[in-house]
């Protein structure tokens, strides 16, 4: 597993926000959410975890290497944002519950949070071992334009019982809590960007300049 700029020792006692996604491609919606969550919980780092074979959706048609490279380019000037290749390094399906379990084993002193958009959180009860997973880290749920919070009864019960207001002075937050982080709503999606690129339209100002160049140079998303 590659985590840039970190070792087990240096992460001891630290607070890290994990941000999993397909990142096909990474866009300003992802980046702004990451920054605002980082600041909200006074994190030491955000680890971007591109997934290799997402269990919840169709397999990405873009090569892992391209999605990884675009994440690297997008976060290059932010040392607090780091790429974590734990899921890309594994040949098998990368269930989030396994990823989190491995990270907690590797970094026992680190307090982990998982950043998730409202659209994904609405479907959380379709995730593998979702109840176990909920209890393993804290959750930073961020709004996604056009997606209200709509839960199954079981998920709703959990949300009602475990949603906590984040206080600035809080030290250790334990596990299994849900924090709604009121990030700036940006109606940007990777789907939209792939659509633009497929029509030879510019993706500028939706993705970083380096990612836009990468998409053009590698002719990504063109059928
Ligand atoms: P696609 O359009 O291909 O479905 P996406 O734009 O939703 O992709 P993902 O990489 O699938 O991007 O998303 C990873 C995580 O980021 C998910 O938790 C998702 O809810 C969240 N997310 C993505 N875009 C936004 C956005 N604009 N605002 C808030 N959260 C977002």
């Amino acid at each position: 597993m590659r985590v840039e700029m970190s070792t087990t020792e240096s992460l001891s006692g630290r607070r890290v926000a994990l941000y999993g996604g397909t990142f096909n491609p990474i866009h300003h919606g992802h980046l702004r959410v990451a920054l605002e969550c980082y600041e909200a919980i006074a994190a030491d780092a955000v680890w971007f975890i591109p997934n290799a074979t997402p269990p919840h959706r169709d397999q990405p048609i873009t090569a892992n290497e391209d999605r990884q490279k675009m994440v690297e380019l997008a976060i290059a000037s932010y040392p607090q944002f780091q790429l974590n290749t734990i899921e890309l390094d594994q040949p098998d399906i990368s269930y989030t519950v396994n990823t989190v379990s491995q990270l907690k084993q590797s970094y026992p002193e680190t307090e982990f949070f998982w950043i998730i958009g409202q659209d994904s959180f609405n479907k959380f009860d379709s995730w593998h071992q979702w109840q176990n997973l909920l209890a393993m880290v804290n959750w930073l749920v961020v709004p996604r334009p056009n997606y209200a919070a709509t839960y199954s009864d079981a998920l709703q019960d959990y949300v009602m019982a475990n949603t906590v207001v984040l206080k600035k002075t809080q030290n250790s937050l334990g596990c299994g809590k849900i924090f709604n982080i009121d990030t700036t709503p940006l109606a940007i999606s990777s789907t939209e960007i792939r659509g633009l690129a497929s029509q030879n339209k510019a993706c500028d100002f939706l993705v970083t300049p380096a990612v836009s160049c990468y998409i053009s140079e590698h002719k990504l998303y063109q059928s």
Side-chain angles (χ1 to χ4, degrees), residues 28-46:
H28 282 310
H30 296 125
L31 294 165
R32 189 67 210 170
V33 156
L35 180 60
E36 293 188 25
C37 286
Y38 168 82
E39 290 178 337
I41 62 164
D44 295 288
V46 177

Side-chain angles (χ1 to χ4, degrees), residues 65-82:
E65 294 70 28
D66 287 325
R67 292 182 298 112
Q68 173 177 333
K69 187 67 195 169
M70 289 189 284
V71 171
E72 287 173 337
L73 289 169
I75 66 177
S77 55
Y78 284 83
Q80 68 272 39
F81 288 180
Q82 295 155 23

